[in-house]
Structures are given as C-alpha cells and as structure tokens.
Amino acid sequence: MAADAELLIDRRRLRRKLSVWRVVGIGGLVVAVGAVGLRVRAGTEGGLFGAVKPQIARISISGFISGSEATAKLMKRVGESTAVEGVVVSINSPGGTTTGSEELFRNLRALAEKKPIVAFVDGTAASGAYITAIAADHIVARETSLVGSIGVLFQYPDVSGLLDKVGVKVESVKSSPLKAEPSGFTPTSPEARAALAAVVGDTYAWFKNLVAERRGMDGAQVATVSDGRVFSGRQSVPLKLVDELGSERQAIAWLETARKVPKDLPVTDWKPASNQGFGLFSALGFGADLLGFEGLSARLAEAGAEAGAVTQGGMLVLWRPSPSAAP
C-alpha cells in the first residue's frame, strides 16, 4: 500500500513538471513567432520598428488590379518612412478595374508628393497598369515589354438564349426602361446599349486626358496610341509612352541623377498586409502556396480578383487577348 501511495505521488509530481514545461514551451513558441514576424518586417520594410536605414523602396504591382485598402495603407507607410529615399514601382500587370486603377493612381500621386517615384515596366504595363505607370514622373521599360492598351471595356454575359432553350423566363418590374440594364437575362436594347456606350466613352476620354496630361502629349499623339493596341518597349519610346529603355538599374540611376537620391542604396521590397477573405480562390491559393507552387498561388489569386470584378459588374481597363487569336 505504501508503494502504491509513493507511486501516485510520483505521478502527480511528473504531471506538474510536464504542465510547467508545456507552458514554457508554448511561451517560447509565441516569442519565436513574434521574433520571426518582426524580423520579416525588418527585412521587407527597412528595419526593426521602422529603423532608419536609408533605402529605396520597391513596390510591386502585378496581376489583376482592383481596389485594395492594404495597398493604400502601404503607400501611406512608405510615404511616412524616414528610411525611404526614393521609390521604384515595378509593374507587370494587364490592368484591372477602372476604379481600382484610378485608386492606385491617386495613391501613387499622393506618395509622389513625399517621395521621388520612378516606374519600371518589368513585363507588361497595359490598360490599368499603364495608368499606374504614368503616376510616376519617369518610366523605364524593357525593350520587349508590352505597354499601352489605352481603352475601356464593359463586358457582361447574355444568357437569354440559354434560358429560352431550357424554358426559363425572368420577369422584372422596373421603375424605368434603363433600370438594371444590362441584365444578361434579356437581349440588350438599343437604348441600353447607347447608355452603356456613353459611360464607356466618358471613361475612355478620362483615360486619354490623363495620358495627355501626364505624358505631355497633344491630341494627335494621344490618338496614335489610344486605339487599344499594345506596343513593345522599343516602340513606346518614340511614341512618348515611356521615357527610356533598360532594367531596374536604369530606373534607380534616374532617381540618383534626376532626383538626387543617394547612390548605392539597398533596394527593399515593401509589401501590403494581406486582408483577403477566405473564399474559394484564396483557399486554393493558400493550399498551392503551402505546397510550394508560388506561381500557381499568384495566378489563383489573380483569377479570384478578376472573377470578383466580373460578377460585381463595372468597367475594366484590362488587356486580355482573345483566345481565338492564338496560333
């Protein structure tokens, strides 16, 4: 009986020790995660707690452009950082929504009031992404990059033929004929099409005026580049769409010479905090990221953003070649 009592006491002591070590282990894990988070932020934003290590900030704009509060906050942080001497906006995007592109342009112009900005086209700066590029005071592009696609697009599905085949009819009571047009459930009337064309035309005029103002073009020059096509980097220089050809090194050299940014500063990536919901595309992207498929994760995120824009409606400034044009 005494042996059983001693065994019971030993077990209780062991449990207490294990509980203590569990608490210590969890506390150590929390501290480690916090330290890693701070170190990651230090590596991507120039130092611990915004330490003043002089640097050039790189802001990357890629994939489908839509409105983003996280990106707006990023611009504000960059503008307020005493460590940032200049900003390189690295662009590789086919564009996105008109409102998202306008928001990004406005945020970059606000940032340009605090920091010198240069745009570097590292692949594609088409439609809404070109709106992003002209927010900078100087544009550098690779020779084989794609630039331009100045135009506006409004797309919507017309499923009225399919509904007729399956015997489904959608009824609606409207306050006026143009309310909720286009619906997609009925063929678009000439009046609705004309109303949409007027909106597209007005936004197209806004886009062209923005290009003329930011790139110093007259009406004839704008007309030459605003028929919706894309141009190579080499073609874009004489057309005044970009200022010079080269790599990011040339973009940084412009900051050093034209804006007197100190030479040989490190270039640091600044990234927005993620604020996406956990929908289908974000879940798939998260899974792809865990498996190491970073490219697939980025494409899924882009597809999710574009699908959301299309389902919510609205105009696009987006370069999307027709599949029928592919060889």
Side-chain angles (χ1 to χ4, degrees), residues 249 252-253 256-257 260-266:
R249 180 60 251 175
I252 294 171
E256 295 171 344
T257 56
K260 308 304 179 185
V261 171
K263 293 186 177 182
D264 301 322
L265 291 180

Side-chain angles (χ1 to χ4, degrees), residues 105-118:
F105 175 86
R106 303 294 181 199
N107 289 333
L108 283 170
R109 289 311 301 155
L111 177 58
E113 295 178 359
K114 301 177 181 179
K115 308 289 181 181
I117 296 180
V118 63

Side-chain angles (χ1 to χ4, degrees), residues 41 44-45 50 52 55-59 70-89 106-117 268 270-271:
R41 181 170 183 178
T44 58
E45 299 188 359
V52 289
Q55 63 186 266
I56 292 173
R58 180 193 293 119
I59 298 175
T71 301
K73 291 180 178 179
L74 170 66
M75 304 291 180
K76 184 177 180 181
R77 292 205 313 270
V78 173
E80 294 175 348
S81 173
T82 57
V84 174
E85 300 285 345
V87 179
V88 174
V89 183
R106 303 294 181 199
N107 289 333
L108 283 170
R109 289 311 301 155
L111 177 58
E113 295 178 359
K114 301 177 181 179
K115 308 289 181 181
I117 296 180
T268 306
W270 284 61
K271 299 179 180 180

Side-chain angles (χ1 to χ4, degrees), residues 173-227:
V173 178
K174 301 191 293 184
S175 58
S176 58
L178 295 181
K179 179 63 178 176
E181 289 289 344
S183 70
F185 298 125
T186 57
T188 306
S189 67
E191 295 79 11
R193 188 175 297 276
L196 289 173
V199 175
V200 170
D202 182 71
T203 307
Y204 180 41
W206 167 82
F207 193 168
K208 291 191 293 183
N209 289 336
L210 198 63
V211 172
E213 176 188 347
R214 294 296 303 157
R215 300 301 301 167
M217 295 183 185
D218 59 30
Q221 290 171 323
V222 173
T224 301
V225 299
S226 60
D227 60 0

Side-chain angles (χ1 to χ4, degrees), residues 64-68 95-107 128 131-132 152-153 199 203 206 309 312-318:
F64 187 86
I65 296 174
S66 59
S68 170
T97 65
T98 52
T99 54
S101 301
E102 179 189 357
E103 178 188 9
L104 185 54
F105 175 86
R106 303 294 181 199
N107 289 333
I131 294 176
T132 302
V152 180
L153 174 69
V199 175
T203 307
W206 167 82
Q312 292 172 12
M315 288 181 292
L316 302 175
V317 274
L318 177 68

Side-chain angles (χ1 to χ4, degrees), residues 192-313:
R193 188 175 297 276
L196 289 173
V199 175
V200 170
D202 182 71
T203 307
Y204 180 41
W206 167 82
F207 193 168
K208 291 191 293 183
N209 289 336
L210 198 63
V211 172
E213 176 188 347
R214 294 296 303 157
R215 300 301 301 167
M217 295 183 185
D218 59 30
Q221 290 171 323
V222 173
T224 301
V225 299
S226 60
D227 60 0
R229 80 179 94 171
V230 291
F231 301 90
S232 70
R234 286 164 54 88
Q235 293 174 312
S236 298
V237 173
L239 292 172
K240 298 180 68 174
L241 290 171
V242 304
D243 295 294
E244 65 174 306
L245 301 176
S247 65
E248 187 179 74
R249 180 60 251 175
Q250 277 67 46
I252 294 171
W254 180 85
L255 287 175
E256 295 171 344
T257 56
R259 292 295 186 263
K260 308 304 179 185
V261 171
K263 293 186 177 182
D264 301 322
L265 291 180
V267 180
T268 306
D269 283 307
W270 284 61
K271 299 179 180 180
S274 176
N275 63 347
Q276 294 181 337
F278 205 68
L280 173 61
F281 284 99
S282 59
L284 292 173
F286 179 72
D289 202 31
L290 286 177
L291 294 173
F293 299 107
E294 295 181 1
L296 177 59
S297 175
R299 287 194 295 272
L300 286 169
E302 179 181 346
E306 184 171 348
V310 171
T311 55
Q312 292 172 12

Side-chain angles (χ1 to χ4, degrees), residues 116-134:
I117 296 180
V118 63
F120 169 52
V121 183
D122 189 17
T124 302
S127 288
Y130 186 65
I131 294 176
T132 302
I134 62 178

Side-chain angles (χ1 to χ4, degrees), residues 151-174:
V152 180
L153 174 69
F154 192 105
Q155 286 185 324
Y156 55 93
D158 181 0
V159 298
S160 57
L162 175 62
L163 295 180
D164 288 341
K165 290 181 180 179
V166 297
V168 176
K169 185 177 180 181
V170 178
E171 297 284 357
S172 61
V173 178
K174 301 191 293 184

